């Protein structure tokens, strides 16, 4: 049990766009999970940035597929990089789009199971120790009561020791930033769950037939509303296993799901509904590299990029109707592979 007590501020969130006009090139990058070195390596290899991290991608569009947070220590550094590039890329006609991943949503709602200790360290400042002490003093009675209610109960001294152990320096600042209405909470709230670019859909987890009956704008708006501050907000949509943050059914089907329509039939209906020819997903790691299925209509680009998973660095490049998978091999060399051409019949 972790008890976090802090004062939180709020500000307004910006809107995001779900449809992007045809760019010359799209680069899609999967789950990064706090690995800043891998992120910068991919930026350089893709030609989107130089060795200093400055935008060199011209009018290309970068789509980062979500799950920047958790499992690694440098989530904040990657977020700051993306926020900076989001401002500088348009100078050259480029654009940066970050999708909402389930791990960003988890941080917002306080599910901290996968937060790496280094992520808390990134939020520390010279006042962190005094801030933690002050928070303890201000909330001592409530904290002691909560720990006294455990089985077995903890006495006052044990409660203090336990709370300090479970509240590392930087954790209060991390929660203040990520909670609904906090700086990163608001940043995450304005990220789209789904975008469509040149007839290609991008969603972190996937798209189920049950949750694909509305427009992209309507789906994004529903998820955005669930990320807003407020005690009475219904946040169930961002934990929905059939929603775009969590769904894996475009790739995997447990035996218990044998009543669902076949994967390819579901995909065909989803693509037709949104007027798209491909769906690109992340979320479900494939440590052997980027994979495709359904005749190139589905592309899976989470290759376990971060050190936590130990998979290969990779990115997907879309040029017109072409799709090229780029993967860094064990020797550090980048290899490229053309993927199957998806049918254009459904594209609008």
């Amino acid at each position: 049990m972790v008890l976090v007590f802090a004062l939180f501020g709020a500000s307004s969130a910006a809107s995001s766009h779900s449809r992007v006009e045809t760019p010359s090139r799209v680069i899609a990058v999967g789950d990064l999970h706090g690995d800043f070195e891998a992120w910068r390596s991919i930026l350089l290899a893709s030609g989107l940035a130089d060795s200093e991290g400055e935008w060199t991608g011209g009018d290309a569009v970068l789509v980062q597929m979500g799950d920047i947070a958790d499992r690694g220590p440098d989530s904040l550094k990657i977020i700051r990089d993306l926020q900076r590039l989001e401002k500088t890329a348009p100078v050259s006609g480029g654009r940066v789009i970050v999708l909402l991943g389930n791990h960003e949503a988890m941080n917002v709602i306080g599910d901290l199971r996968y937060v790496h200790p280094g992520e808390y360290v990134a939020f520390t400042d010279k006042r962190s120790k005094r801030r933690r002490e002050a928070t303890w003093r201000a909330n001592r009675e409530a904290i002691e009561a909560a720990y006294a209610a455990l089985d077995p109960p903890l006495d006052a001294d044990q409660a203090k020791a336990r709370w300090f152990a479970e509240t590392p320096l930087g954790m209060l600042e991390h929660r203040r930033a990520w909670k609904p209405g906090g700086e990163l909470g608001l940043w995450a709230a304005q990220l789209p769950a789904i975008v469509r670019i040149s007839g290609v859909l991008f969603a972190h987890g996937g798209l189920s037939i049950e949750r694909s009956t509305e427009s992209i704008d309507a789906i994004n708006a529903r998820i955005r509303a669930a990320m807003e501050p407020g005690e009475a907000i219904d946040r169930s949509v961002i934990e929905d296993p059939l929603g775009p943050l969590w769904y894996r059914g475009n790739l995997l089907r447990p035996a218990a799901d044998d009543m669902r329509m076949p994967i390819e039939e579901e995909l065909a209906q989803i693509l037709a509904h949104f007027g798209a020819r491909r769906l690109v997903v992340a979320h479900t790691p494939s440590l052997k590299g980027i994979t495709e299925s359904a005749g190139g209509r589905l592309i899976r680009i989470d290759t376990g990029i971060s050190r936590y998973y130990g998979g290969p660095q990779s990115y997907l490049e879309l040029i017109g109707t072409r799709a090229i998978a780029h993967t860094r091999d064990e020797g550090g060399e980048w290899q490229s592979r053309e993927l199957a051409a998806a049918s254009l019949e459904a594209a609008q």
Side-chain angles (χ1 to χ4, degrees), residues 9-345:
S11 60
S12 60
S15 62
S16 58
H17 302 284
S18 60
R19 186 183 291 260
V20 181
E21 296 304 319
T22 306
S24 63
R25 189 167 71 118
V26 178
I27 299 293
V29 180
D31 308 35
L32 294 168
H33 284 302
D35 194 327
F36 183 77
E37 291 182 7
W39 157 242
R40 278 293 184 88
S41 173
I42 292 168
L43 269 185
L44 185 63
S46 66
L48 291 182
D50 60 22
S51 59
E52 300 300 316
E54 298 300 326
W55 183 263
T56 57
D59 63 352
V61 173
L62 165 64
V63 180
Q64 198 289 314
M65 299 284 293
D67 276 11
I68 301 163
D70 293 343
R71 304 195 190 279
D74 292 327
S75 302
L76 186 61
K77 287 178 68 175
I78 299 172
I79 290 170
R80 296 301 188 220
D81 230 24
L82 284 162
Q83 290 173 330
R84 179 178 54 80
L85 290 173
E86 191 173 20
K87 295 177 180 177
T88 58
V91 175
S92 304
R95 185 168 179 189
V96 173
I97 300 170
V98 181
L99 296 186
L100 180 66
N102 63 299
H103 280 267
E104 284 75 43
M106 290 166 71
N107 274 264
V108 172
I109 63 176
D111 185 343
L112 309 180
R113 288 175 292 165
Y114 304 104
V115 176
H116 188 282
E119 295 190 89
Y120 294 136
V121 173
F123 282 87
T124 58
D125 57 38
K126 62 183 180 182
R127 296 186 295 174
S128 290
K129 187 172 182 179
R130 284 179 291 171
R131 190 177 292 119
R132 184 174 63 170
E133 291 279 355
T135 301
W136 161 259
R137 290 194 301 271
N139 299 279
R140 180 173 180 172
E141 290 185 6
I143 296 172
E144 289 179 350
Y147 283 114
L150 296 179
D151 184 18
L154 303 184
D155 63 27
D157 289 339
Q158 291 172 324
K160 181 177 182 179
R162 177 81 166 266
W163 186 82
F164 272 79
E166 293 181 339
T167 312
L169 292 178
M171 185 179 190
L172 295 176
E173 294 85 350
H174 176 279
R175 289 305 309 133
R176 181 170 55 196
W178 273 105
K179 74 102 185 184
E183 183 225 336
L184 293 183
L186 290 173
W187 169 78
Q190 56 84 37
L191 301 179
I194 310 170
V195 294
R196 181 184 183 276
I197 305 174
S198 302
V200 180
L201 294 168
F202 298 83
H204 172 70
L207 298 176
S208 70
I209 196 68
E210 292 89 345
R211 303 297 182 263
S212 300
T213 58
E214 300 177 290
S215 69
I216 293 175
D217 285 340
I219 295 169
N220 285 339
R222 190 182 302 279
I223 293 175
R224 187 176 304 120
M227 303 275 284
E228 292 296 320
E231 295 300 322
I233 298 292
D234 179 3
R235 306 195 190 280
S236 60
V237 66
I238 58 178
E239 299 182 279
D240 181 1
L242 295 177
L245 307 187
W246 288 93
Y247 190 56
R248 300 184 194 271
N250 301 125
L251 299 163
L252 309 171
R253 289 289 172 83
D257 274 0
D258 59 0
M259 298 299 292
R260 295 183 64 80
M261 70 172 62
I263 287 177
E264 289 207 18
E265 182 180 342
E266 179 182 50
L267 178 64
Q269 290 193 26
I270 288 167
L271 293 177
H273 172 72
F274 291 117
R277 65 177 178 272
R278 294 186 196 267
L279 170 61
V280 177
V281 300
H283 184 53
T284 303
S286 168
L287 302 189
K288 62 182 179 181
I290 292 172
T291 65
E292 62 181 317
S293 57
R297 291 179 296 165
L298 179 69
I299 303 178
R300 173 185 183 181
I301 71 167
D302 178 3
T303 61
I305 289 169
S306 72
R307 281 168 287 179
Y308 176 88
Y309 285 105
Q313 296 176 17
S314 63
Y315 63 93
L316 175 70
E317 182 177 26
L318 301 175
I319 304 174
T321 60
R322 297 172 61 207
I324 306 160
H326 300 271
T327 306
R328 192 176 186 184
D329 64 24
E330 293 182 356
E333 298 297 319
W334 284 91
Q335 308 296 332
S336 301
R337 174 171 55 92
E338 190 104 11
L339 303 181
S343 170
L344 300 179
E345 292 177 358

